[in-house]
Amino acid sequence: HVKRSAVMRVETHSAQDTQALAASLAPVLPAGTWIRLEGDLGAGKTTFTQGLGKALGIARAIKSPTYTIVKEYDLEGQAAPRLIHIDAYRLEEGGADTVDLASYRQQGDLVLVEWAQFIETELPTAYLDLALSYGQEVDDRVLTIQWVGGQEPEWLSQWSKEVSDHA
Ligand code: ADP
Ligand code: MG
């Protein structure tokens, strides 16, 4: 049985809101963190990644790597050497071994994965799980966030406290 932390729930009302929430994670995320992004097509997984990437100083436009599967962005002056954005959707039929996930783990990259169920066995034992679902209005989203696979790290408890204080 896999240990899961308490769930933090946040509502956003626009893509900008979701990006701002993602941006607020940028200064606290340690190198080597993996984020599993769950949610239907159009839920906002890539939008979240864009907000985080921009806050980490990535100038290039971040687009979903649906065809390339992986995109790597250098992070100048940040804790982690790179942001790795994975869209595993096309690995449904197999091929997880074509992506060198072990090297991302070894180098302490910050890794965000969309459609992680297709590379399930390659995930680290502990990661941040972030699920997005649709809300009532067109631009409403509900984000549920929890730490999976061990004790919730202190930076996450701190961040979730800050987010709920500002809600
Ligand atoms: P996914 O990667 O999950 O398929 P995308 O991030 O590519 O989804 O697309 C999300 C779409 O929904 C974008 O067009 C974005 O502008 C829009 N959107 C509207 N409201 C929100 C919101 N609250 N959070 C995130 N995206 C939103
Ligand atoms: Mg996407």
Side-chain angles (χ1 to χ4, degrees), residues 1 25 81 115 140 143 164 167:
H1 133 111
L25 260 181
W115 303 102
D140 288 352
L143 285 75
S164 44

Side-chain angles (χ1 to χ4, degrees), residues 65-69 87-96 98 114-115 118:
T66 309
Y67 295 98
T68 52
I69 300 166
D87 183 337
Y89 191 75
R90 294 206 323 144
L91 299 177
E92 183 170 12
E93 311 292 334
T98 61
E114 303 186 31
W115 303 102
F118 300 136

Side-chain angles (χ1 to χ4, degrees), residues 37 39-47 49 63-66 85-87 114-115:
L37 296 164
D40 292 340
L41 194 67
K45 303 180 294 296
T46 298
T47 299
T49 307
K63 295 192 207 121
S64 215
T66 309
H85 186 195
I86 302 175
D87 183 337
E114 303 186 31
W115 303 102

Side-chain angles (χ1 to χ4, degrees), residues 58-124:
I58 296 169
R60 281 162 64 199
I62 296 176
K63 295 192 207 121
S64 215
T66 309
Y67 295 98
T68 52
I69 300 166
V70 184
K71 285 223 181 93
E72 306 176 349
Y73 302 90
D74 289 332
L75 297 177
E76 310 293 341
Q78 297 289 339
R82 294 175 303 181
L83 181 150
I84 308 295
H85 186 195
I86 302 175
D87 183 337
Y89 191 75
R90 294 206 323 144
L91 299 177
E92 183 170 12
E93 311 292 334
D97 53 335
T98 61
V99 185
D100 194 3
L101 297 160
S103 87
Y104 302 142
R105 279 203 296 269
Q106 279 151 21
Q107 296 185 52
D109 292 321
L110 188 56
V111 182
L112 289 99
V113 192
E114 303 186 31
W115 303 102
Q117 62 266 44
F118 300 136
I119 56 164
E120 191 79 54
T121 56
E122 314 289 326
L123 294 178

